[in-house]
């Protein structure tokens, strides 16, 4: 059994402030440890369910957060960014049995996390797919769907887990914290690790085919930028149009083309 794990940090237990997500800030050290522990727990849950090969993508910021020596020997770790449109799902293909997402977070515009954002939060206010406000979970779940690999388990903040359950109730979730205003209320880090380990093992023993995300036949992508000049520049991407001073619109029947748009415009 070959498993893919994509890991972010804003949905890791306890993470509340942007300084705690920045590798160059002293505040981040403890949360890199917790991110590693939660990814390690997901790996251990997968191994207990029969996984013999695990590929982990460190999918936050520079992609250099997870402490590799603490992962089990079944795991390989992708650090940094290749520049491929799959981004946080780099190297995912049809050979994988299932996808697990660890440390994911609420979408841009949500009130359920002080760290809510989608992709480059310094550049864009938000992204819509067919009039649905998109989270990084949704963008990457569609990438998994494109590769025909089911997303079976997601951990992160409660707002994100509620979104996952709305999209597909068969996907296992572990809400490790809840955002309230600019604060978070988290469960104990050790309890979070245990729930992730147990949740992954349980998810992989179910009928994972029920977790496969179906892609829309046609996609309308709208990116709302924070600056009008960013939208103007992005409107020159082939097929993109400037819908409003701050909004670029793009239509396609191929989700890979939507991912390529995001790669070059945000």
């Amino acid at each position: 059994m070959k498993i893919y794990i994509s890991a972010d940090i804003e949905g890791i237990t306890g993470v509340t402030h942007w300084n705690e997500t920045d590798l160059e800030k002293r505040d981040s050290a403890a949360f890199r440890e917790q991110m590693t522990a939660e990814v390690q727990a997901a790996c251990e849950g997968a191994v207990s369910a029969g996984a013999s090969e695990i590929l982990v993508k460190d999918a936050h910021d520079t992609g250099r957060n997870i402490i590799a020596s603490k992962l089990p020997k079944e795991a390989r770790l992708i650090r940094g960014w290749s520049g491929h449109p799959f981004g946080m799902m780099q190297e995912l293909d049809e050979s994988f049995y299932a996808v697990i997402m660890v440390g994911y977070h609420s979408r841009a515009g949500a009130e359920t996390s002080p760290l809510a954002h989608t992709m480059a939060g310094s550049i864009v206010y938000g992204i819509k797919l067919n009039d649905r406000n998109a989270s990084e979970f949704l963008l990457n779940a569609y990438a998994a769907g494109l590769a025909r690999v089911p997303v079976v388990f997601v951990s992160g903040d409660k707002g994100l887990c509620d979104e996952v359950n709305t999209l597909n109730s068969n996907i296992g979730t572990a809400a490790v914290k809840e955002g309230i205003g600019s604060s978070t209320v988290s469960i104990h880090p050790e309890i979070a690790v245990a729930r992730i380990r147990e949740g992954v093992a349980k998810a992989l023993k179910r009928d994972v085919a029920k977790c496969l995300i179906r892609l829309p036949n046609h996609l309308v992508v709208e990116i709302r930028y924070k600056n009008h000049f960013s939208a103007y520049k992005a409107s020159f991407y082939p097929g993109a149009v400037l819908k409003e001073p701050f909004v670029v619109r793009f239509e396609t029947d191929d989700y890979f083309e939507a991912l390529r748009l995001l790669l070059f415009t945000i």
Side-chain angles (χ1 to χ4, degrees):
M1 185 190 297
K2 188 176 176 183
I3 302 300
Y4 189 98
I5 298 176
S6 176
D8 206 348
I9 202 170
E10 289 90 352
I12 293 296
T13 310
V15 176
T16 305
H17 190 276
W18 291 111
N19 284 0
E20 297 165 350
T21 74
D22 188 340
L23 188 63
E24 297 183 357
K25 297 292 193 331
R26 184 169 55 185
D27 292 357
S28 71
F31 298 100
R32 287 185 63 215
E33 292 272 359
Q34 184 63 21
M35 179 185 184
T36 301
E38 294 185 18
V39 172
Q40 179 184 4
C43 290
E44 291 169 350
V47 170
S48 72
S52 56
E53 183 178 351
I54 302 169
L55 185 60
V56 177
K57 174 67 183 92
D58 187 328
H60 173 68
D61 197 22
T62 63
R64 298 184 291 111
N65 308 280
I66 295 169
I67 303 166
S69 62
K70 295 190 176 183
L71 299 182
K73 293 180 179 179
E74 292 85 356
R76 293 181 297 142
L77 176 63
I78 303 171
R79 303 181 80 235
W81 300 95
S82 70
H84 190 280
F86 264 36
M88 296 173 75
M89 308 293 281
Q90 178 191 331
E91 310 304 323
L92 179 68
D93 60 31
E94 293 182 357
S95 68
F96 287 88
Y97 181 73
V99 167
I100 294 159
M101 298 178 181
V102 175
Y104 270 54
H105 54 82
S106 295
R107 61 168 177 81
E111 61 180 2
T112 48
S113 169
L115 303 176
H117 69 282
T118 302
M119 305 297 283
S122 61
I123 299 173
V124 300
Y125 273 120
I127 300 168
K128 283 187 175 182
L129 297 180
N130 289 359
D131 288 327
R132 183 185 184 121
N133 290 314
S135 62
E136 291 173 16
F137 157 74
L138 183 65
L139 294 173
N140 294 325
Y142 277 0
L146 189 62
R148 303 290 300 170
V149 184
V151 178
V152 300
F153 182 86
V154 180
S155 71
D157 64 63
K158 182 179 181 298
L160 184 276
C161 291
D162 288 344
E163 178 193 342
V164 173
N165 292 331
T166 298
L167 184 68
N168 187 326
S169 61
N170 296 297
I171 299 174
T173 58
V176 300
K177 63 183 177 184
E178 182 176 2
I180 302 173
S182 62
S183 71
T184 61
V185 180
S186 297
I187 63 176
H188 192 281
E190 292 180 7
I191 294 176
V193 164
R195 288 184 182 175
I196 291 169
R197 183 185 299 111
E198 294 164 5
V200 168
K202 182 179 179 181
L204 289 172
K205 292 175 182 177
R206 296 198 297 258
D207 182 1
V208 302
K210 293 181 179 179
C211 300
L212 185 65
I213 303 299
R214 306 292 177 183
L215 292 172
N217 293 325
H218 184 73
L219 282 153
V220 178
V221 183
E222 290 190 356
I223 308 171
R224 180 172 291 276
Y225 291 87
K226 292 189 172 181
N227 297 300
H228 66 87
F229 49 81
S230 296
Y232 176 75
K233 179 180 178 181
S235 72
F236 290 98
Y237 182 86
V241 297
L242 191 64
K243 178 185 175 184
E244 301 171 15
F246 290 83
V247 178
V248 165
R249 180 185 176 94
F250 179 84
E251 295 192 44
T252 181
D253 294 334
D254 183 352
Y255 187 61
F256 188 82
E257 291 303 321
L259 292 174
R260 199 198 311 259
L261 165 79
L262 298 178
L263 176 66
F264 285 100
T265 60
I266 62 174

